[in-house]
Amino acid sequence: MKNVFFGLALEYEKGIHARVALGGDGRLIEVHESADGNDLNYRSGRLRQMAIDWDDSVAFGEGAEPSIAIEGRILVETHRSAGGVDLYCRVGAWNEGDIVFGDSVKYASGEAPCVALNRQAVVEVHESRWNSTIWCNLGRLDENNASVVWLGNSYLDAGIQPAIAINAQSDVVMVRGNAADDELHYRVGKLGSTGIQWGPATRYGAGSRASVVLTAEGEVIVVYESTDHKSLMQRFGRIRGKSIDWAGEAVYFDDGARPAVACHGGMAIQVHESEGFNTLWASTSRIVDRSRWMQDHLRELGDLTLPRLTTGASHDAGMYQHGLLMSLGKTQNLDLYQQLSQGIRYFDLRPKWDGSALYVSHGPITGPALTEILDDVRRFMNEGNRELVILKFSHYAKFTDGVYEQLVELLQDRLGRWLFQNLPRGARLSDIPLGEYLRHSGVVLVVCDEDYPVQIPAAGIWVYRDSNSPTAELGDLRVYDQYSNTTSYATMSADQAAKFQAYDGKCVGRPELPCDQFLLSWTLTPPTAVWLLSKEANRNLGAAMAALPRENGSGCVINQLYVDYVEYSRATDVAMSMNGIA
C-alpha cells in the first residue's frame, strides 16, 4: 500500500507557526510568523528531486497564525490579527515568478484559522474566541478570483486546534484536538450543493496540533505532535465512506512542534518548528508503495543494468535489535522485512558462528539469528514482490569451511526459489538489465566476499569483491566501497563526493578491470551511539544528491546510497528521483 515517510528535516528559516501549500508543477509556498514579532512572511520554492530550492523570504503584513492554500495559480491566505481575535482572508495570484496578494478582509472572529481550496470552494475552520468549539466557513472565489465570497459561519464540532483539507473530488477531512485531554479526532465530509455533509467524529490518535492533507484519490496524510510535545508523528490512510482506513499505526519521523503538511500528485511536504528554538524545518516524501517501487516503474527502470541503477542500501542491516547491550552496535531501527517494505534493496550482512547457530554481528556485538533475517526476506518475496534484492555477506566471524557450507545450505533452503543462478554464456551480473532479472518473479542476488565462494562454489551464490581487492578479477560483482572513517558530516560528505567524482568505473589500480557499482558510504563512524551521528547525514542526503550531477565526468552514476537508520534518510525516495522516476 502507498504511504509516506518524511524522515529528518532540514532547517530553512527562522520563525514560528508555519503552514505550507504545494502546487501541481512542484512550486510551493510557505507562510509563517517572524521569530521576533507579529510580522507575516511567505517563502516560495520549488521541489528538485527530494530537495527544496527556496526563494528569499518576503514580508507581507502583520498578523498571527497564518494558513495558506493553492489551486492552480490562485492562493488563499488566512490569519489572525496581531494580538487580536479578528480573522482575515486575502487572495493572491502566482504568475510566472511573481506572487501578488490582494488586501486582507475580515471574515470572522476566532483563533487558529486553517484554510483549504479546490476549484469549487474555499473551506475554512477555526476555534471560537469564547470556548472550545470549532466553526466552519464555506465560500467561493468571486468571478475575478480576487476575493472570497463567504456563505456563512457555522458550528462544526467541539474541540481545539482544527485543520482541514479538501481535494478535487470535494472530499473533506477535518482533524482536531480536545481541550480536556490529548485525544485526536477526525471527521470526513463530502461537499455537495447544500454544503458539507459530515460523518461522525472518530478518534485516530493521541497528541496535539494536527495538520491534514488529501490526495486526489482520497488518501489522507496527517502529521501531529505526540503527547510528549517534542516528537512528530505521521499517519497515512484512505477515505472509505465517512471513515478512514489507516495503513498501520502512526509512526515517529522527527523531533519538533506544530507540523503542517501539503501534497500534490505523488509528492508531499511537511514543515514544522523546532521543539526548543524559533527555527523552521522542512522535508519531503513520495506518496508511493515502496515495497514494489521497482516493479511499478519497470517502464523507466527495465533497461537499466546494475552499473546504471541506484537503490537504497542498508549498512549493517541486521543490527536492529533493541536493548542496552544491543544499542552499542545498533545501526538500524527496522528489521529486514520492514527495510524491504521501505524499498531498501542492498543489505550488508556480517555472519557470525557462535558454536551452534549463525547470527549477524557488528564487531563484538551479536545481533539476531540469521534464520530470522532470511525468514524476513522469504516473507517479503513470498508476497509476490518483483524486486531485485542484493544480500552481501562479508566480515565472517568464527567461520570455517564447514560453517560456510551451513550458511550456503541455509540460504538455498530459505531462499532457493528466488536465488539468481544462471548467467548467459560470457555475461556478467552487471550486463543483465533489471527487466530481465525480474522477467518472471522477484530475485535475490546473494554475493559473498573472501575465499569461501571461490573455493566452495554453490548454485545461486556469487563472488563479491571490493574494487581495491588484490583478487578483484574473481568478483562476479565488484563494488567501489570506501568509507570515510570520520565522525564529521562535513568531512564525510566532501570525501564521498570527491570519491564519486574521481570514480571511473574501473577497479582501483586495475584500469583493465571494470568495476560494477559505486557505493556512496553516507555513514559516520563513532565507536557507539550511531543514531545520534546518523541524523545529520540522513537529514542532508536528499539535498546533497540533488546537488550532485547524475553522472560524473566518467559517465558513472552512484549506485548504492549506503546509510544507517535507513528510513530517516528517505534513501528509497532519493534513489527513485536519481533514477529519473517522476
Side-chain angles (χ1 to χ4, degrees):
M1 182 177 181
K2 290 182 181 179
N3 211 321
V4 295
F5 199 92
F6 290 107
L8 301 174
L10 282 175
E11 182 181 348
Y12 68 92
E13 182 65 277
K14 307 293 184 184
I16 58 174
H17 291 289
R19 296 277 181 167
V20 67
L22 182 60
D25 56 358
R27 290 188 298 179
L28 61 96
I29 182 168
E30 173 269 3
V31 292
H32 63 270
E33 291 180 45
S34 63
D36 55 358
N38 290 123
D39 292 330
L40 296 179
N41 297 270
Y42 73 79
R43 197 162 184 189
S44 60
R46 185 175 291 274
L47 299 181
R48 180 163 56 93
Q49 296 187 20
M50 298 307 297
I52 304 168
D53 290 334
W54 291 102
D55 300 321
D56 292 336
S57 185
V58 178
F60 71 135
E62 294 186 347
E65 300 176 331
S67 177
I68 190 75
I70 187 171
E71 176 63 40
R73 66 179 188 87
I74 302 301
L75 305 165
V76 175
E77 186 264 349
T78 61
H79 60 269
R80 177 173 57 81
S81 58
V85 293
D86 293 333
L87 300 181
Y88 288 86
C89 173
R90 54 184 155 184
V91 177
W94 195 340
N95 296 315
E96 300 299 330
D98 296 326
I99 297 174
V100 179
F101 282 100
D103 294 334
S104 294
V105 178
K106 180 182 175 182
Y107 67 92
S109 297
E111 298 178 349
C114 182
V115 68
L117 172 68
N118 69 4
R119 293 182 182 273
Q120 288 75 43
V122 182
V123 59
E124 181 268 1
V125 290
H126 61 268
E127 290 182 34
S128 166
R129 59 180 294 189
W130 305 110
N131 51 40
S132 300
T133 57
I134 295 170
W135 294 72
C136 180
N137 271 289
L138 191 60
R140 57 176 174 80
L141 294 169
D142 69 12
E143 60 184 10
N144 297 316
N145 290 329
S147 64
V148 177
V149 179
W150 295 105
L151 305 179
N153 194 30
S154 59
Y155 171 81
L156 177 56
D157 209 348
I160 59 173
Q161 301 168 349
I164 198 157
I166 189 171
N167 65 8
Q169 282 64 51
S170 293
D171 301 311
V172 187
V173 173
M174 186 274 293
V175 294
R176 61 160 176 86
N178 277 350
D181 54 38
D182 289 322
E183 301 289 282
L184 294 171
H185 291 78
Y186 71 81
R187 294 183 71 175
V188 176
K190 189 75 172 182
L191 175 63
S193 58
T194 60
I196 301 174
Q197 304 303 310
W198 292 100
T202 303
R203 182 189 182 277
Y204 71 91
S208 61
R209 294 170 172 165
S211 176
V212 63
V213 71
L214 284 170
T215 70
E217 293 76 26
E219 294 148 341
V220 184
I221 306 169
V222 179
V223 294
Y224 59 90
E225 289 181 26
S226 69
T227 53
D228 66 10
H229 302 294
K230 65 179 182 180
S231 300
L232 299 180
M233 311 297 290
Q234 61 186 31
R235 200 168 188 192
F236 186 88
R238 181 184 288 271
I239 292 174
R240 182 166 62 90
K242 294 297 173 64
S243 65
I244 298 173
D245 288 338
W246 298 105
E249 297 298 318
V251 295
Y252 163 85
F253 68 90
D254 203 353
D255 293 336
R258 291 192 180 96
V261 65
C263 74
H264 198 285
M267 292 295 295
I269 179 174
Q270 70 80 31
V271 297
H272 65 265
E273 295 176 31
S274 165
E275 69 275 21
F277 303 93
N278 292 337
T279 54
L280 299 174
W281 301 67
S283 60
T284 59
S285 172
R286 286 179 177 265
I287 306 170
V288 69
D289 186 348
R290 291 168 185 80
S291 67
R292 44 184 293 153
W293 70 271
M294 287 181 171
Q295 71 184 78
D296 284 348
H297 296 92
L298 277 177
R299 178 175 297 180
E300 300 99 317
L301 303 176
D303 292 336
L304 298 183
T305 57
L306 293 180
R308 303 300 299 175
L309 178 69
T310 303
T311 69
S314 177
H315 170 235
D316 268 307
M319 301 305 293
Y320 54 78
Q321 290 182 320
H322 303 281
L324 181 59
L325 181 59
M326 293 297 106
S327 67
L328 298 177
K330 188 175 179 182
T331 56
Q332 303 296 338
N333 200 48
L334 304 177
D335 62 31
L336 263 287
Y337 177 79
Q338 293 168 326
Q339 292 182 48
L340 284 160
S341 298
Q342 278 284 332
I344 302 303
R345 295 293 175 261
Y346 182 100
F347 298 90
D348 164 33
L349 298 168
R350 306 181 182 193
K352 176 180 182 178
W353 177 251
D354 79 337
S356 60
L358 285 163
Y359 293 80
V360 295
S361 65
H362 182 190
I365 308 301
T366 301
L370 185 59
T371 52
E372 177 181 313
I373 287 172
L374 298 184
D375 285 347
D376 273 350
V377 178
R378 180 169 61 179
R379 175 187 172 192
F380 179 80
M381 303 306 289
N382 253 331
E383 292 174 351
N385 297 302
R386 287 176 60 201
E387 303 288 303
L388 174 62
V389 176
I390 299 177
L391 306 181
K392 176 220 172 183
F393 290 88
S394 64
H395 297 76
Y396 308 99
K398 300 182 179 179
F399 258 55
T400 64
D401 288 355
V403 172
Y404 178 78
E405 289 173 347
Q406 289 191 50
L407 169 64
V408 170
E409 290 174 7
L410 190 60
L411 288 164
Q412 292 175 332
D413 175 64
R414 301 299 170 103
L415 303 177
R417 58 183 284 205
W418 299 286
L419 293 180
F420 184 76
Q421 298 192 30
N422 298 305
L423 273 174
R425 184 181 299 274
R428 302 186 64 250
L429 296 175
S430 58
D431 298 327
I432 309 301
L434 182 65
E436 188 62 30
Y437 274 115
L438 304 181
R439 178 178 294 274
H440 303 295
S441 70
V443 166
V444 178
L445 185 59
V446 173
V447 294
C448 292
D449 200 8
E450 300 188 22
D451 291 334
Y452 295 115
V454 178
Q455 297 172 355
I456 311 172
I461 310 298
W462 302 88
V463 179
Y464 172 91
R465 284 295 184 265
D466 285 325
S467 66
N468 60 351
S469 167
T471 58
E473 71 278 2
L474 300 178
D476 297 306
L477 183 70
R478 307 177 192 123
V479 178
Y480 182 101
D481 177 0
Q482 295 188 20
Y483 75 114
S484 300
N485 195 22
T486 180
T487 58
S488 164
Y489 168 73
T491 300
M492 179 275 289
S493 57
D495 176 66
Q496 290 296 308
K499 285 173 175 170
F500 171 59
Q501 295 299 345
Y503 175 65
D504 62 0
K506 306 296 182 182
C507 288
V508 177
R510 305 281 295 276
E512 79 286 358
L513 202 60
C515 183
D516 302 316
Q517 293 200 308
F518 180 91
L519 182 146
L520 186 87
S521 190
W522 206 250
T523 58
L524 300 172
T525 51
T528 187
V530 172
W531 164 245
L532 295 177
L533 285 187
S534 73
K535 292 168 74 172
E536 186 175 9
N538 285 342
R539 287 187 194 281
N540 282 279
L541 179 67
M545 294 304 98
L548 283 177
R550 173 59 174 160
E551 295 184 347
N552 65 12
S554 298
C556 300
V557 305
I558 292 170
N559 302 113
Q560 304 297 346
L561 303 174
Y562 190 59
V563 294
D564 295 309
Y565 293 91
V566 293
E567 68 273 35
Y568 297 104
S569 71
R570 303 167 300 150
T572 298
D573 293 17
V574 175
M576 291 177 70
S577 294
M578 294 172 71
N579 286 314
I581 298 172

